């Protein structure tokens, strides 16, 4: 809008001059009003930001106080106080994502410190862990998934026989080497990539557990229940798995070199391309199991039940099949088996 000169204003009629003056006043008023509103909004935003920062700082202070108090209580000489501290730390972890890794490691260290000491003999062991250790393992097993770059959960050499883990326990990639978990209940557990080298898992319940690519070399799994377990690409060399229940288990491409599976139940198990070289399968039951492409060189299969087993592409060189029942086998002929494996009159075709 063009601003009129003094001469142009003097030439205007009085009423027109008053109208222009009024418009100018309104315009100035709108400018001041707008500036006031902008300033008010700006001050409000600054106030909200400061309030938010103060609130976050207060909350973080409260979380730090709760964390410190709970950690101090972990050192109590009373088990019930220590158990309460464990659950307090779980609540802190739920409220503070940045403290979860530290809390996880604190609880793992607590378990390693308070499990059964080596001085206690097996005959003196209790059936289940103490309530504080039980609480810590329960919280660890149901924690949110760790970030991809998180360090390994260290539960190495813990002794917690009979531990009842919550369904679907999250123990993937955990270091459980030489851990005593005999009689433990780990059904449906996530043990993907877990390190269970030399662990004791006899009589444990691992039904439907996921042990994909887990390492159980040298582990003791005698009489364990592992129905429907996923051990695909697992490493089980020299493990003791006598009389283990592995019906419908997924053992594809598993390395089971020199593993003892004497009397094991592998009915309907999937063992395609697995390494069963020098494995002990005496008296084992493998009805309808899929052994396509399996390496069975020098394996011991005396008196094993192999009814309806799939053997296409299997390497049977040196396998001992004396007394084995191969009736209904698929993918290979009796002549080929006799030519490559060790059989006798008691071998059934």
């Amino acid at each position: 809008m063009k601003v009129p000169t003094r001469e142009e204003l003097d030439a205007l009629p009085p009423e027109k001059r008053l109208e222009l003056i009024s418009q100018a006043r309104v315009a100035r008023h709108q400018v001041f009003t707008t500036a006031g509103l902008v300033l008010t909004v700006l001050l409000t935003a600054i106030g909200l930001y400061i309030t938010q920062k103060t609130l976050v700082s207060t909350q973080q202070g409260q979380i730090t106080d709760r964390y410190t108090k709970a950690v101090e209580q972990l050192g109590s000489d009373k088990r019930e106080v220590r158990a309460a501290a464990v659950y307090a730390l779980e609540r802190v972890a739920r409220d503070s994502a940045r403290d979860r890794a530290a809390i996880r490691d604190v609880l793992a260290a607590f378990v390693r410190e308070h499990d059964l000491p080596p001085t206690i003999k097996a005959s003196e062991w209790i059936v289940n862990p103490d309530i504080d250790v039980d609480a810590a393992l329960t919280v660890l097993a149901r924690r949110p998934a760790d970030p991809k770059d998180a360090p390994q959960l260290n539960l190495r050499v813990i002794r917690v026989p009979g531990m009842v883990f919550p369904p679907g326990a999250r123990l993937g990639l955990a270091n459980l080497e030489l851990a005593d978990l005999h009689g433990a209940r780990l059904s449906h557990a996530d043990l993907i990539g877990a390190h269970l080298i030399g662990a004791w898992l006899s009589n444990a319940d691992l039904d439907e557990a996921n042990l994909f690519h887990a390492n159980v070399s040298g582990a003791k799994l005698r009489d364990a229940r592992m129905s429907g377990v996923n051990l695909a690409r697992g490493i089980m060399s020299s493990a003791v798995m006598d009389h283990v229940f592995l019906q419908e288990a997924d053992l594809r491409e598993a390395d089971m070199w020199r593993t003892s599976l004497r009397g094991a139940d592998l009915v309907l198990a999937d063992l395609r391309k697995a390494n069963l070289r020098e494995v002990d399968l005496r008296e084992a039951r493998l009805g309808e199991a899929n052994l396509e492409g399996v390496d069975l060189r020098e394996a011991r299969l005396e008196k094993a039940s192999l009814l309806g087993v799939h053997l296409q592409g299997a390497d049977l060189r040196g396998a001992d099949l004396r007394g084995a029942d191969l009736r209904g086998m698929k993918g290979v002929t009796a002549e080929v088996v006799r030519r490559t494996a060790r059989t006798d009159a008691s071998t059934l075709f």
Side-chain angles (χ1 to χ4, degrees):
M1 179 179 176
K2 182 181 177 183
V3 179
T5 63
R6 184 66 185 177
E7 289 78 12
E8 289 173 335
L9 287 172
D10 291 341
L12 291 173
E15 62 275 9
K16 189 65 176 176
R17 229 180 301 167
L18 288 171
E19 183 182 344
L20 287 173
I21 293 170
S22 177
Q23 289 176 354
R25 289 173 177 169
V26 169
R28 284 196 300 272
H29 179 72
Q30 288 176 338
V31 169
F32 286 124
T33 301
T34 302
L37 287 173
V38 170
L39 183 60
T40 301
V41 171
L42 182 60
L43 290 172
T44 301
I46 292 172
L48 289 173
Y49 175 76
I50 293 172
T51 301
Q52 177 66 20
K53 292 289 287 184
T54 302
L55 180 61
V56 170
S57 179
T58 301
Q59 289 176 336
Q60 288 299 329
Q62 291 173 344
I63 287 172
T64 300
D65 290 343
R66 289 163 56 196
Y67 173 82
T68 303
K69 183 177 180 181
V71 171
E72 289 175 353
Q73 289 177 331
L74 283 178
S76 172
D77 57 356
K78 296 181 179 179
R79 282 177 294 183
E80 58 273 21
V81 174
R82 297 197 297 265
V86 167
Y87 293 118
L89 284 172
E90 182 181 30
R91 289 192 293 273
V92 173
R94 190 182 303 125
D95 295 337
S96 177
R98 73 176 189 174
D99 291 314
R100 285 174 188 165
I103 290 171
R104 184 202 73 161
D105 292 340
V106 165
L107 292 179
F110 176 82
V111 172
R112 296 195 305 270
E113 182 68 23
H114 289 81
D115 63 344
L116 290 173
T119 53
I120 296 180
K121 299 178 181 179
S123 59
E124 301 171 339
W125 288 351
I126 55 174
V127 178
N128 300 107
D130 284 340
I131 58 170
D132 51 350
V133 174
D134 184 289
L137 283 171
T138 298
V139 169
L140 285 170
R142 68 189 183 197
R143 74 192 189 285
D146 293 332
K148 291 183 179 180
D149 59 347
Q152 189 179 44
L153 174 62
N154 184 7
L155 293 172
R156 190 177 181 276
V157 202
I158 62 169
R159 304 174 83 199
V160 287
M163 173 66 195
V164 180
F165 288 87
R170 294 191 183 98
L171 295 169
L173 299 175
N175 185 350
L176 288 156
E177 292 181 15
L178 301 173
D180 179 2
L181 293 160
H182 82 268
R185 293 173 64 178
L186 283 157
S187 60
H188 299 89
D190 172 4
L191 286 158
I192 297 173
H195 293 246
L196 287 154
I197 300 169
W200 187 2
L201 286 154
S202 297
N203 296 106
D205 181 358
L206 287 153
D207 284 344
E208 304 290 338
N210 191 348
L211 285 127
F212 177 78
H213 215 289
N215 190 338
V216 293
S217 298
K220 300 175 181 66
L221 289 143
R222 189 179 284 108
D223 296 305
R225 294 188 57 84
M226 303 178 77
S227 175
V229 73
N230 181 2
L231 268 163
R233 298 187 182 179
I235 303 171
M236 291 168 278
S237 56
S238 301
V240 179
M241 302 176 74
D242 297 340
H243 305 288
V244 69
F245 193 80
L246 279 162
Q247 281 199 7
E248 300 184 73
D250 186 348
L251 293 156
R252 289 173 294 173
E253 300 181 45
D255 183 359
M256 305 173 75
W257 176 66
R258 286 190 174 177
T259 295
S260 180
L261 285 154
R262 188 167 185 173
D265 189 336
L266 288 144
V267 172
L268 295 172
D270 190 345
L271 291 135
R272 283 175 288 175
K273 297 183 179 180
N275 177 14
L276 295 174
R277 190 169 181 176
E278 298 182 46
V279 72
D280 186 349
L281 281 162
R282 285 176 289 174
E283 302 173 6
R285 295 174 295 283
L286 294 110
E288 298 292 336
N290 194 335
L291 295 168
E292 294 179 7
V294 167
D295 185 351
L296 279 163
R297 286 176 290 172
E298 306 300 329
R300 301 196 62 181
L301 290 146
E302 299 102 303
K303 297 183 181 180
S305 174
L306 295 152
L307 293 168
V309 74
H310 299 253
L311 284 167
Q312 184 175 358
D315 190 342
L316 294 162
R317 287 176 292 173
D320 193 337
L321 289 162
R322 289 176 297 173
D325 190 343
L326 289 152
R327 288 175 294 178
M329 65 179 180
K330 304 175 182 66
V332 67
T333 64
E335 290 72 19
V336 171
V337 173
R338 289 193 182 97
R339 195 164 56 242
T340 56
R342 185 178 182 182
T343 61
D344 63 8
S346 63
T347 305
L348 302 177
F349 292 97

